[in-house]
Amino acid sequence: MQEPLCLVQNGADGVLSPNPAALEVLRGIGQPVVVVAIAGPYRTGKSFLMNRLAQRRTGFPLGHTVQPQTKGIWMWCLPHPYRPDTTLVLLDTEGLGDPYKGDSCNDAWIFTLALLLSSTLVFNSVGTIDQQALQHLGVVTALTERVQVGAEDDSDTAAANFVRFFPGFIWAMRDFVLELSLDGQSITADEYLEHALRLQPGSSRVVQEQNELRHCLRDFFPERKCFVLPRPAEAEAMTRLEELDEGQLRPGFLRQADAFCRHIWDKAPVKALPGRQAVTGSMLASLAEKYVAAIASSGVLCLESTVTALAAAENTAAVAAAVAEYQQGMERELKLPTASQEALGDVHQRCEHRALALFMERAFTHNIHQYQEQLMHELEAAKEEFCRRNEAASAERCRAVLRELWQDVEQRLDRGEYAVLGGSRRFQERLRELMEEYDRRPGKGVKAAAVLEEFLREREVLARALCAADQQLSECERERVASEAVAAAAVAAAKEAEEAAEARLEEQRRSFEKHKQDLEERMQREQQAMLEEQQRIIAHKQKEQEALLKEGFKEEAEKLKEQIKKLEKEKEGIVQGSWIQNPLHLFSTVIGLWGLWRAVVPVVLRLLRLV
């Protein structure tokens, strides 16, 4: 994108709506996205800071008056400066507390969208972390009224699970002029933030409200960082920041701004959903669309429902993409007709493995076994179509060879060479020569024996007529001579069909095994990711519990202790892995039934061959 584009429009009536043009841009991005959103009070320099992240002097519009410039949420998609095959998505949001708007609920929804869409949320404010600055973050305490994790969750359960969905948090303090010290000791900006978020003693309503906000910030955002940036330029130059060269900006600001940008470029993670499912641009578009639709319809966002709907759409798309990859690979690599069914099976196996790898890369784990079963059926159907085409190409090639070879026999028949005494024997000898020459011809494919049998059966009446007219043959010899070529061809065709069927069965067995193996490996990786995420949350809760005890808040620490016990129990369930065994059991059952079918089919084919 050469310039930013509005992602979420904020109408004059306060109704939010996604911008179709911006969604289209995101849907064209198949790469993982690092999403950095900035929020904060209006007229505090958010856009200027985001332009620096974009490494551009201009882009997000800067205002020089008391009137806010940014409305809704604006988006800028750029190649990530440090990570290949990754897109950096910058989201600049409408400022909080705009006196011209007068709708705090609208502010809250814009902030909530920025929070849920981002992988790193930057809160930008001016001055120090004081009570006024904290009040601007008051929207955080009301998140449980607007956002649920599960549809049946109460507010306490939702709050405990927010950490699974929420981004990293950076507080950018602008125009900071104070010395970073506490009790005569120098402190870092991060320590300054943690000190400001310490719970305060007291039981008054005001203290409790302030502590609730601090507690929410500590609980929802385990990964917190702070940057303090002095004023970028002299007061008279602040109205033309876009025009200033780097040398005209204050060195202190440049140092801190560069540190801020490097941290974002180095550390800001790819946007991910629970289970560490990386989000692509197209998935981000779906999330934005679904979140805005939920706000308009019910005023409550259910995160798990949104992710479930997204997973269904993405898994359906993953199946379609995998089938397309398979079909394109087969069209590219398969040369029809193949010499044997095994040759087609080898190409099928390579293409299927690539298709399955693509599916596993794109699919969500949620109900993945159902979509993988659908993929197996569609790939099998696609393979059967290629087998049909292969057989048709082989049959066409074989008939062309036989037409060519029969021309000489037909000319001899026209001359009457076989309508004489002993002519039927000469006809059978010429027929054997034709069959030998036919066998030597290359490139006939998988229907060589079947087409030859069909060819000979079509000429069986002619052979019987020649035998009947040949007075040298006895009645018994006439029957034997007339049918021996057809009988031999029938045996060869039956063997050909049996071998082809067994080859297909073996291909399907290998396919089932590969699907099961890949699903099992995916489930094991998912289990490990879930365990690591669960342990990260437990460690965060334990750290917060220790901090509360140290600060003297035993009651709050006891509540966290109960949350930790629940999380430990959930971790035990992940370790036991019953959620893994169910889909794998389904696959094992299917493979077991297929093994029984595979054992029965060759027996049936042999019986038919004997008949």
Side-chain angles (χ1 to χ4, degrees):
M1 295 174 62
Q2 294 303 311
E3 58 185 8
L5 186 64
C6 184
L7 173 62
V8 178
Q9 301 165 137
N10 191 7
D13 54 359
V15 175
L16 303 177
S17 61
N19 179 9
L23 295 178
E24 194 62 29
V25 170
L26 285 175
R27 290 192 181 103
I29 300 174
Q31 298 177 338
V33 289
V34 173
V35 188
V36 181
I38 193 164
Y42 85 110
R43 311 305 299 119
T44 53
K46 298 186 298 297
S47 300
F48 179 64
L49 198 57
M50 293 301 267
N51 286 342
R52 293 197 69 84
L53 274 177
Q55 302 180 81
R56 309 285 179 86
R57 186 179 296 179
T58 61
F60 292 112
L62 310 184
H64 312 306
T65 68
V66 295
Q67 185 176 3
Q69 291 293 305
T70 305
K71 291 293 184 181
I73 300 177
W74 284 68
M75 171 188 80
W76 203 353
C77 301
L78 301 159
H80 198 286
Y82 287 7
R83 301 179 200 172
D85 303 319
T86 304
T87 297
L88 176 63
V89 179
L90 303 177
L91 300 180
D92 190 11
T93 66
E94 183 171 335
L96 304 174
D98 178 2
Y100 299 97
K101 184 162 55 177
D103 184 359
S104 59
C105 183
N106 184 260
D107 274 354
W109 278 123
I110 289 176
F111 179 87
T112 302
L113 283 173
L115 182 150
L116 293 176
L117 293 174
S118 62
S119 54
T120 296
L121 176 67
V122 179
F123 184 73
N124 186 84
S125 66
V126 172
T128 61
I129 303 179
D130 55 16
Q131 193 53 43
Q132 183 180 1
L134 287 169
Q135 284 176 353
H136 283 297
L137 272 171
V139 291
V140 173
T141 60
L143 282 173
T144 54
E145 300 172 7
R146 299 187 299 276
V147 180
Q148 294 176 313
V149 174
E152 305 300 324
D153 287 352
D154 55 32
S155 59
D156 289 340
T157 304
N161 288 320
F162 278 165
V163 67
R164 301 181 190 276
F165 289 85
F166 281 12
F169 180 82
I170 295 176
W171 197 320
M173 295 300 309
R174 307 294 297 278
D175 300 353
F176 190 80
V177 296
L178 300 180
E179 182 181 345
L180 284 174
S181 64
L182 185 66
D183 297 329
Q185 299 291 323
S186 295
I187 59 173
T188 65
D190 292 342
E191 290 169 336
Y192 171 59
L193 173 60
E194 295 308 309
H195 179 75
L197 295 182
R198 286 173 60 91
L199 302 189
Q200 301 301 308
S203 57
S204 69
R205 182 181 61 82
V206 173
V207 170
Q208 288 181 349
E209 288 176 354
Q210 293 172 354
N211 280 346
E212 182 185 6
L213 172 57
R214 290 182 171 92
H215 179 70
C216 286
L217 289 172
R218 287 162 54 159
D219 197 29
F220 297 166
F221 303 105
E223 298 175 10
R224 303 183 292 271
K225 190 157 184 66
C226 182
F227 289 91
V228 292
L229 298 91
R231 186 184 287 260
E234 299 298 331
E236 61 272 12
M238 291 296 291
T239 59
R240 50 187 184 88
L241 285 176
E242 291 173 320
E243 303 171 11
L244 300 183
D245 295 326
E246 293 288 287
Q248 295 174 282
L249 298 175
R250 288 177 169 174
F253 171 81
L254 289 175
R255 283 194 300 272
Q256 289 299 315
D258 288 347
F260 168 82
C261 291
R262 283 196 304 273
H263 175 81
I264 295 288
W265 297 330
D266 281 336
K267 305 295 185 183
V270 166
K271 172 71 177 172
L273 297 172
R276 298 189 181 177
Q277 179 76 42
V279 172
T280 63
S282 61
M283 292 161 62
L284 185 66
S286 296
L287 286 174
E289 200 168 24
K290 287 175 170 45
Y291 286 149
V292 174
I295 293 170
S297 63
S298 65
V300 177
L301 294 179
C302 180
L303 302 182
E304 284 187 352
S305 297
T306 302
V307 171
T308 298
L310 176 63
E314 288 297 317
N315 285 350
T316 300
V319 170
V323 172
E325 169 67 23
Y326 172 82
Q327 290 176 324
Q328 291 166 9
M330 291 288 283
E331 294 285 0
R332 184 174 57 250
E333 297 183 29
L334 200 60
K335 307 301 180 187
L336 302 181
T338 60
S340 63
Q341 181 63 36
E342 288 86 351
L344 186 146
D346 290 342
V347 178
H348 158 75
Q349 188 174 21
R350 290 197 302 272
C351 295
E352 183 186 41
H353 286 187
R354 289 199 297 267
L356 187 54
L358 177 63
F359 172 79
M360 286 296 178
E361 179 185 347
R362 290 188 52 170
F364 278 61
T365 302
H366 182 77
N367 287 338
I368 189 174
H369 62 284
Q370 295 179 7
Y371 291 93
Q372 191 174 356
E373 184 178 349
Q374 178 186 343
L375 175 63
M376 279 198 303
H377 289 316
E378 293 198 25
L379 291 181
E380 184 62 25
K383 187 197 80 171
E384 287 302 314
E385 175 59 20
F386 279 105
C387 288
R388 186 198 65 76
R389 287 170 52 186
N390 188 42
E391 290 176 355
S394 171
E396 183 179 352
R397 165 66 179 159
C398 292
R399 291 188 185 106
V401 171
L402 288 169
R403 282 196 301 270
E404 177 191 338
L405 296 176
W406 182 252
Q407 288 178 0
D408 176 69
V409 179
E410 202 162 37
Q411 291 170 2
R412 292 173 183 268
L413 284 167
D414 291 341
R415 292 195 297 267
E417 292 185 16
Y418 303 126
V420 296
L421 197 65
S424 64
R425 291 185 182 279
R426 289 199 295 275
F427 175 77
Q428 292 296 330
E429 289 172 2
R430 183 69 189 91
L431 207 55
R432 280 192 291 274
E433 292 173 0
L434 180 150
M435 292 166 63
E436 290 170 1
E437 176 62 23
Y438 176 77
D439 285 340
R440 287 193 292 271
R441 291 290 181 94
K444 296 188 299 294
V446 296
K447 299 297 287 183
V451 171
L452 179 61
E453 181 194 7
E454 174 191 90
F455 175 84
L456 293 176
R457 286 196 184 280
E458 290 173 351
R459 286 148 182 84
E460 190 174 13
V461 173
L462 171 63
R464 289 183 180 277
L466 291 174
C467 288
D470 192 342
Q471 298 302 315
Q472 283 189 349
L473 298 178
S474 66
E475 190 67 32
C476 182
E477 287 177 319
R478 288 171 185 168
E479 179 64 28
R480 179 181 59 77
V481 170
S483 61
E484 63 181 357
V486 174
V491 171
K495 182 180 179 183
E496 180 184 69
E498 180 184 344
E499 290 174 350
E502 288 182 343
R504 287 196 191 188
L505 288 170
E506 177 60 22
E507 290 162 15
Q508 289 170 330
R509 185 198 66 79
R510 290 201 308 261
S511 176
F512 276 123
E513 290 290 350
K514 177 63 175 172
H515 277 270
K516 182 188 175 185
Q517 177 187 341
D518 283 10
L519 178 60
E520 187 172 16
E521 291 174 357
R522 170 64 181 266
M523 289 296 190
Q524 288 172 349
R525 290 196 301 271
E526 189 71 16
Q527 181 187 43
Q528 185 60 35
M530 289 177 69
L531 282 172
E532 291 174 1
E533 182 176 351
Q534 193 76 358
Q535 188 55 49
R536 179 179 67 85
I537 295 171
I538 291 171
H540 162 59
K541 300 287 185 182
Q542 289 172 337
K543 182 180 178 181
E544 183 64 15
Q545 184 194 24
E546 292 173 4
L548 288 171
L549 287 172
K550 191 177 295 185
E551 294 167 15
F553 292 88
K554 294 182 180 180
E555 186 177 343
E556 286 79 2
E558 194 62 30
K559 290 179 181 178
L560 265 184
K561 184 178 179 181
E562 292 303 314
Q563 285 187 22
I564 293 169
K565 286 182 180 178
K566 185 178 178 181
L567 290 168
E568 291 283 5
K569 189 174 181 180
E570 290 174 359
K571 181 181 175 182
E572 290 176 9
I574 296 172
V575 171
Q576 291 171 1
S578 59
W579 63 280
I580 293 179
Q581 298 305 319
N582 289 335
L584 290 178
H585 176 70
L586 289 174
F587 262 76
S588 297
T589 301
V590 171
I591 291 173
L593 291 172
W594 187 254
L596 178 63
W597 172 246
R598 182 173 176 269
V600 169
V601 168
V603 175
V604 173
L605 288 171
R606 289 189 185 97
L607 288 172
L608 290 173
R609 182 177 168 187
L610 289 173
V611 172

